[in-house]
Amino acid sequence: MATSSKSGSGTVYGEDKKNELICFLVDMIKHRYVIRIKQENQPKPVVAGATASSTTASTDKSKPKRKRKSDTAPLPKQARVDNNIPIELRLLQGSLGLEGEKGDAEEGEGLVGVLDVESVLKFDEEANKRRILDDRDTLWGVNVDKFNQDFRNKAIVDFVTEKVNLVAGKLVETILQLTAAYQKTKNDETTIPVPVDRILAAVNQVPKATEQMTRDSLCNYLDLLCHQTPQIVNRLSDINGGSYVVCLGTVASFIKQKSLEAIVLEKFGVMSCRIFRLLLQHHQLEQKQIADFAMLPIKECRERLFQMLKANILSLQEIPKSADRAPSRTIYLWKVQLGAVNDQIVQEMFKTMWNIKKRRQHEFHSAEDLVHTFTTKPDTLTEAQKRQLKQLQEIVNRLDKAMLQLDQTMIVLRDF
């Protein structure tokens, strides 16, 4: 059992608790959920090809520059920086005194020739814990982008599973797991290329697999994903069977668009959603064209268009044929501006979230005496009070569920 003792500065945890916390921090740093946000008295990393320091350059301005041997000599192994490795992993490598375990001899192996993150992070665990514990000047913070990347990746896997099948979803999930350490931001358009052999090896290493996937079956699935709408996977080369990337930006944008269509369907109905999809497909249309394509009477089409215009879902562009801008000689084009629609719906969701929280507080305040009695003297509750308490619990659960669903939709619209 972990023990604790009192000191002048507060509570000091025992060694077991310290080791547990340090192990947890190291694991979070490995997976990039925690990053270093500040390092005092830390020299800047040396980049390959860098010139002399600015201080030396400022003191030697009057002297002619002479080419020295050190300017062209290769940097030592520990000073080299691989820009393909995320910055937080390079900072971790530098702070822990690590050196790349794979030299130039292994360049070109693994994932497109970049340094394997797992080999970078293989180090003495005890020495690593001690370094982190003794490093008082480093501040660590939550890497919000990493969580957003995980949410986006999970949404992509769920989308592929629903659109194609479970096997295709597992393949995309495998590629995303292989390239997770190299996804720098949530705005990455694609993953890094992964060879077919690496994908096949990773798929067949899944525990409890009923049967091994063959190379032909894997290539067939990858080709199927390449020809989906939207394009889920893209083939970049044909060397050794080809290398594939997941189209993160394309699939994420499609998921965001489908979320917007679902909101329009819920608020304005099926026919309005049909008009919304038509404008997304054709970009700009006149009122008569929309009525013809949507197979709606012109009057109903006009009403639905102006209803969505009032809600800032659609926008109207005037193109005058003459300088006097006469309405009879003006073309009116309807269109959807996805960025503006997205911002408008997100603002409405914030208002809805606020209203749900206020309603939740109101429900608790209206039954404040009952809640107080339940927490202090639960044995004194009558049958009527128990039924009232159960009803309150159901209302609060529905409100909490609504907030969670709303928050999930907001993540898609704001962070994908």
Side-chain angles (χ1 to χ4, degrees):
M1 179 182 296
T3 60
S4 62
S5 60
K6 295 287 184 179
S7 64
S9 59
T11 303
V12 179
Y13 291 100
E15 288 298 325
D16 293 342
K17 191 65 176 179
K18 282 185 179 179
N19 291 333
E20 182 181 353
L21 292 175
I22 293 300
C23 288
F24 178 73
L25 177 60
V26 170
D27 187 62
M28 296 291 283
I29 294 172
K30 281 183 180 181
H31 295 87
R32 298 190 297 135
Y33 292 110
V34 172
I35 57 174
R36 179 162 48 181
I37 59 176
K38 183 179 179 181
Q39 177 72 21
E40 298 179 359
N41 301 325
Q42 177 76 8
K44 294 183 179 180
V46 181
V47 182
T51 57
S53 63
S54 58
T55 55
T56 306
S58 61
T59 55
D60 297 340
K61 284 183 179 179
S62 59
K63 299 180 182 180
K65 294 183 179 180
R66 298 170 57 188
K67 191 173 183 181
R68 296 178 297 179
K69 183 178 180 180
S70 59
D71 292 337
T72 57
L75 291 172
K77 184 178 181 180
Q78 62 270 21
R80 297 177 186 171
V81 177
D82 191 345
N83 292 326
N84 290 317
I85 299 178
I87 183 64
E88 56 270 15
L89 294 182
R90 287 180 296 186
L91 290 174
L92 175 63
Q93 183 181 4
S95 65
L96 301 179
L98 300 174
E99 297 182 4
E101 296 186 2
K102 290 189 177 182
D104 297 333
E106 289 186 323
E107 186 174 358
E109 298 181 1
L111 290 178
V112 296
V114 298
L115 204 59
D116 188 13
V117 178
E118 293 298 330
S119 65
V120 171
L121 294 177
K122 286 179 181 178
F123 49 84
D124 186 358
E125 291 289 343
E126 294 300 326
N128 172 43
K129 296 173 190 176
R130 183 57 55 190
R131 289 189 184 98
I132 293 181
L133 190 61
D134 293 340
D135 194 356
R136 306 285 182 178
D137 298 329
T138 301
L139 298 180
W140 302 90
V142 176
N143 187 5
V144 180
D145 276 347
K146 175 60 178 174
F147 285 95
N148 289 334
Q149 291 172 26
D150 288 351
F151 294 151
R152 178 203 59 193
N153 292 348
K154 184 179 183 303
I156 291 175
V157 172
D158 294 341
F159 169 76
V160 175
T161 302
E162 181 180 357
K163 185 175 179 62
V164 186
N165 57 23
L166 183 61
V167 177
K170 290 296 182 182
L171 286 179
V172 173
E173 184 179 10
T174 300
I175 299 176
L176 292 176
Q177 289 175 353
L178 290 174
T179 61
Y182 307 97
Q183 298 174 23
K184 297 180 180 179
T185 66
K186 64 179 183 180
N187 298 321
D188 291 341
E189 287 297 323
T190 63
T191 62
I192 62 172
V194 185
V196 172
D197 294 336
R198 184 68 183 272
I199 300 174
L200 183 61
V203 169
N204 290 331
Q205 286 177 356
V206 176
K208 299 181 181 180
T210 56
E211 54 184 46
Q212 299 290 311
M213 176 174 284
T214 62
R215 184 185 178 93
D216 292 338
S217 177
L218 174 62
C219 292
N220 290 335
Y221 266 105
L222 291 174
D223 290 339
L224 175 64
L225 294 175
C226 287
H227 293 87
Q228 292 292 317
T229 302
Q231 186 177 11
I232 300 172
V233 171
N234 188 23
R235 183 171 182 168
L236 293 186
S237 67
D238 296 330
I239 302 175
N240 295 328
S243 297
Y244 292 85
V245 298
V246 177
C247 304
L248 300 173
T250 303
V251 181
S253 298
F254 188 81
I255 294 173
K256 184 184 296 186
Q257 178 180 322
K258 287 300 179 182
S259 299
L260 292 176
E261 291 178 5
I263 294 172
V264 173
L265 175 64
E266 184 70 23
K267 291 185 65 175
F268 302 101
V270 178
M271 295 303 174
S272 297
C273 184
R274 182 186 299 178
I275 294 173
F276 185 80
R277 290 172 179 168
L278 278 172
L279 292 175
L280 286 177
Q281 181 180 358
H282 297 280
H283 304 294
Q284 290 182 334
L285 290 174
E286 293 185 71
Q287 180 178 299
K288 187 178 184 305
Q289 292 176 319
I290 296 173
D292 293 339
F293 287 147
M295 294 182 289
L296 287 174
I298 191 69
K299 183 179 178 180
E300 181 182 355
C301 180
R302 184 187 305 113
E303 292 176 354
R304 292 184 178 275
L305 287 173
F306 279 98
Q307 183 184 11
M308 289 189 283
L309 177 65
K310 185 179 179 180
N312 295 324
I313 301 298
L314 303 183
S315 59
L316 187 61
Q317 183 179 359
E318 300 178 1
I319 303 178
K321 295 182 180 179
S322 59
D324 58 356
R325 290 181 173 271
S328 60
R329 292 187 296 274
T330 301
I331 299 175
Y332 297 94
L333 295 179
W334 295 86
K335 62 182 180 179
V336 176
Q337 294 179 338
L338 273 180
V341 175
N342 187 83
D343 295 341
Q344 174 69 21
I345 291 180
V346 168
Q347 291 299 323
E348 293 178 1
M349 285 183 173
F350 276 118
K351 294 178 183 178
T352 305
M353 182 74 76
W354 170 260
N355 293 334
I356 293 175
K357 289 183 178 180
K358 295 297 289 184
R359 179 58 186 266
R360 192 176 187 275
Q361 293 176 2
H362 172 73
E363 294 292 339
F364 269 110
H365 289 162
S366 61
E368 186 175 359
D369 295 337
L370 179 62
V371 174
H372 179 72
T373 304
F374 174 73
T375 55
T376 56
K377 300 177 181 180
D379 297 335
T380 61
L381 291 175
T382 63
E383 292 296 329
Q385 289 177 330
K386 290 180 180 179
R387 288 195 298 270
Q388 186 179 358
L389 186 65
K390 183 178 179 181
Q391 183 180 4
L392 174 64
Q393 185 178 3
E394 291 177 354
I395 294 174
V396 172
N397 288 339
R398 286 200 298 266
L399 293 175
D400 290 341
K401 184 178 180 180
M403 282 195 294
L404 290 175
Q405 292 176 346
L406 193 62
D407 186 65
Q408 184 177 3
T409 306
M410 291 174 64
I411 289 175
V412 173
L413 298 181
R414 292 180 68 238
D415 299 324
F416 279 16

